[in-house]
Amino acid sequence: MLRAAVDAGADAVYCGFQNATNARNFTGLNFTSEELHSSVAYAHAHGAKVLLALNSFASAGRFPLWKEAADCGARIGVDAFIVADIGVAAYIAHHHPHCRLHLSVQAGASSPEAINFYCREFGIRRAVLPRILTIPEIRQLKAEIPCEIETFVFGNHGLMVEGRCSLTNYAVGISTNMDGACSPPSKVRYDRDSAGAVIASLGSHVIDRFAPDEQAGYPTICKGRYCTAARPEPFYAFEEPISLNLMEMLPALAAVGVDALKIEGRQRSRAYVGNVVGGFRKAIDAVAAGRAPDLIDLLALTEGQKQTQGAFMTKKWR
Amino acid sequence: MKHVTTKRLPPIPAVCLLPVQPLLKRIVKRIILDHPTIFDRLGPYKQCSYVIDAGRLPFLLLLRPDPLNPRLRALTRGPAHPCDARITGSCAQLARMADGCGDGDALFFSRDIHITGNLDAVVCLRNAIDDLDGSIMDSIWGMLRGPGKLLGQPARRRYHRRAATWA
């Protein structure tokens, strides 16, 4: 998968180990230390960087797992660590001071004061911004911080409060932020009823029912449809299945000083990575050359086959 | 599952599947030979049984991805076969996924594939297959010899032509 991203033109690729130290801790995904070693070599040979995600939150008694992951990443020579937990940030800043630190969106740092704190205390070199800021807000923020900024441009649009969402934990006892898995597949069930509709459940909670010809979304509580006494017809209580797509806004993002663009999808396929990364590579190169980006159709790869510019365009995006 | 307009071939009785079994055995062995690490990522799911219902095929496929004793067998349609997970989709869509040309999540969103049973096992299998370099379909094409190879060439060319426009 890392190779697919590099081959499609990514300048840098995020990856994680096969454990709770990263926020995409899904079965069969991620890297052993040996795999990471060869993948870093491949990326470097092709001029790309590898950023190791250690962006979940360590809990009492489990910190050695994050320390070992950081030590291993430093030994292998990853180009940066992306972190959210201040304990993990402090450990890397102290023990691996030569390594670059990036601040994950999981840290939920959206003000100059918060980002400046991370820069001052841990030497953070880049902050990934939460997907709740408009373009003018990003411009203002950039003027008041000393580090690079990175924004999401494509992928999942499950906002909630990034780094603080406990819906999965509430439903099944597994924490998105501390165990690294939102709606872990081991707790998801799909049943088909006699009418051909699919009923999606997380743990013991039914979270949606998709009619036979209806588009589906991820089985997450925030994207579920529910009924209440006041509103008996099923409705999206939080937000509907939809993906972020900012390809049209690339010139605006460049103009306000965004340094790096992030495509979400470590748990997606080679086909997704190839198409989305390849499409954005061409669009970014066009913008860099002063041309309008060639907008390619990525709708088939979006959640619910719907896309939005989210809060980047307006505070009320629903 | 989307409404399927293509017709399924009539189910085949079990006895008619006997000649298919050795071919399927060869296919899975060839895939493992060409991609020896394919099932390394399956961890606890190496012993799982996956039933694959490929749309128009007149039979089902049973996959047990145990690297030491891999099994791919044809099953009759009709009786409910016990399994850990069942994956349903058209032949073309499932081939796309197996070959890294299709995105499983997108196919799920569009209801082109349907999954029941142990979703973790299915996601794990998807991740294992997606981790591959190279093409599973090319491994299968590569097995063809003599007249089969000759007859298979147009289908292979058509597959690659279509794969280039997928996803």
Side-chain angles (χ1 to χ4, degrees):
Chain A
M1 192 71 72
L2 179 143
R3 291 174 188 217
V6 170
D7 294 348
D11 295 309
V13 184
Y14 283 105
C15 57
F17 286 120
Q18 294 174 351
N19 57 36
T21 57
N22 76 94
R24 288 288 183 280
N25 180 21
F26 294 110
T27 323
L29 203 66
N30 291 320
F31 292 71
T32 62
S33 55
E34 292 78 18
E35 288 167 345
L36 183 62
H37 193 273
S38 62
S39 297
V40 167
Y42 182 87
H44 286 174
H46 291 78
K49 293 183 165 52
V50 176
L51 316 180
L52 182 61
L54 301 179
N55 58 344
S56 47
F57 292 83
S59 56
R62 296 203 306 164
F63 198 74
L65 192 61
W66 279 258
K67 283 165 64 172
E68 283 163 23
D71 294 344
C72 185
R75 255 196 327 273
I76 287 169
V78 298
D79 298 283
F81 295 99
I82 178 163
V83 300
D85 183 316
I86 54 175
V88 177
Y91 178 82
I92 295 171
H94 183 71
H95 289 88
H96 304 292
H98 58 287
C99 293
R100 262 179 84 96
L101 268 180
H102 292 185
L103 187 65
S104 169
V105 71
Q106 289 292 100
S110 53
S111 68
E113 288 76 10
I115 293 172
N116 282 328
F117 168 82
Y118 284 104
C119 294
R120 189 174 63 246
E121 298 300 322
F122 310 115
I124 291 287
R125 308 274 291 277
R126 180 186 295 172
V128 183
L129 300 182
R131 287 159 280 191
I132 53 169
L133 301 173
T134 60
I135 296 276
E137 285 174 329
I138 293 172
R139 179 191 289 115
Q140 187 180 342
L141 181 101
K142 171 75 176 176
E144 297 179 42
I145 58 173
C147 67
E148 300 170 1
I149 55 173
E150 178 171 317
T151 59
F152 283 88
V153 288
F154 193 88
N156 183 29
H157 197 249
L159 302 180
M160 299 308 297
V161 182
E162 284 158 320
R164 294 166 178 79
C165 175
S166 292
L167 289 174
T168 292
N169 202 350
Y170 167 72
V172 298
I174 294 173
S175 166
T176 304
N177 306 310
M178 290 187 282
D179 299 306
C182 172
S183 284
S186 60
K187 303 291 181 187
V188 174
R189 205 178 67 249
Y190 293 111
D191 297 304
R192 216 155 148 186
D193 68 15
S194 56
V198 170
I199 295 158
S201 306
L202 179 66
S204 59
H205 305 267
V206 172
I207 54 178
D208 214 331
R209 178 184 182 276
F210 303 108
D213 287 319
E214 198 175 19
Q215 298 291 323
Y218 280 120
T220 56
I221 293 177
C222 61
K223 304 285 179 73
R225 276 180 293 191
Y226 307 94
C227 309
T228 66
R231 198 169 165 184
E233 286 299 306
F235 69 101
Y236 292 108
F238 301 95
E239 57 183 332
E240 56 196 281
I242 198 163
S243 291
L244 183 73
N245 185 356
L246 299 188
M247 195 176 275
E248 276 184 56
M249 296 181 93
L250 290 178
L253 292 170
V256 298
V258 171
D259 299 281
L261 306 167
K262 183 171 179 135
I263 292 167
E264 184 264 352
R266 282 202 287 130
Q267 82 283 24
R268 296 290 290 265
S269 64
R270 273 185 286 165
Y272 170 97
V273 168
N275 279 279
V276 179
V277 173
F280 270 90
R281 176 78 270 167
K282 283 183 192 158
I284 291 163
D285 289 346
V287 172
R291 292 181 275 115
D294 214 2
L295 303 176
I296 65 159
D297 183 5
L298 296 172
L299 194 64
L301 294 168
T302 58
E303 185 178 5
Q305 304 210 325
K306 282 184 283 187
Q307 54 195 4
T308 178
Q309 293 177 330
F312 291 84
M313 178 59 80
T314 164
K315 281 291 185 190
K316 184 178 185 302
W317 61 85
R318 191 166 185 180
Chain B
M1 191 72 191
K2 273 182 174 173
H3 179 66
V4 178
T5 52
T6 48
K7 279 187 184 165
R8 177 179 293 158
L9 299 170
I12 293 180
V15 66
C16 296
L17 293 177
L18 289 175
V20 180
Q21 308 297 7
L23 177 66
L24 293 173
K25 196 171 178 178
R26 281 184 57 208
I27 285 176
V28 76
K29 283 193 168 172
R30 176 59 185 253
I31 291 170
I32 289 186
L33 198 68
D34 287 356
H35 309 281
T37 60
I38 183 169
F39 297 136
D40 284 356
R41 289 181 168 268
L42 285 174
Y45 300 121
K46 287 174 180 162
Q47 307 296 328
C48 268
S49 51
Y50 299 85
V51 165
I52 300 162
D53 180 350
R56 294 175 68 188
L57 278 190
F59 52 84
L60 305 171
L61 292 168
L62 173 74
L63 171 68
R64 186 176 292 230
D66 181 350
L68 300 176
N69 185 24
R71 289 184 73 190
L72 183 63
R73 284 180 54 78
L75 302 174
T76 52
R77 288 188 177 277
H81 298 282
C83 63
D84 296 292
R86 187 181 176 114
I87 305 164
T88 307
S90 71
C91 280
Q93 305 287 25
L94 294 173
R96 288 173 62 181
M97 275 184 67
D99 232 9
C101 303
D103 180 69
D105 289 13
L107 294 172
F108 171 77
F109 297 148
S110 61
R111 310 291 298 280
D112 285 309
I113 60 167
H114 178 67
I115 296 156
T116 52
N118 187 335
L119 186 67
D120 203 35
V122 176
V123 170
C124 195
L125 179 67
R126 189 278 307 262
N127 289 337
I129 290 172
D130 237 352
D131 186 53
L132 283 184
D133 289 324
S135 160
I136 287 180
M137 295 307 289
D138 276 349
S139 292
I140 298 172
W141 295 121
M143 290 174 56
L144 298 175
R145 295 281 177 273
K149 190 165 190 165
L150 203 64
L151 292 171
Q153 281 302 338
R156 183 182 187 176
R157 277 196 296 271
R158 195 163 58 244
Y159 173 82
H160 279 293
R161 252 197 328 270
R162 291 187 60 193
T165 64
W166 285 339

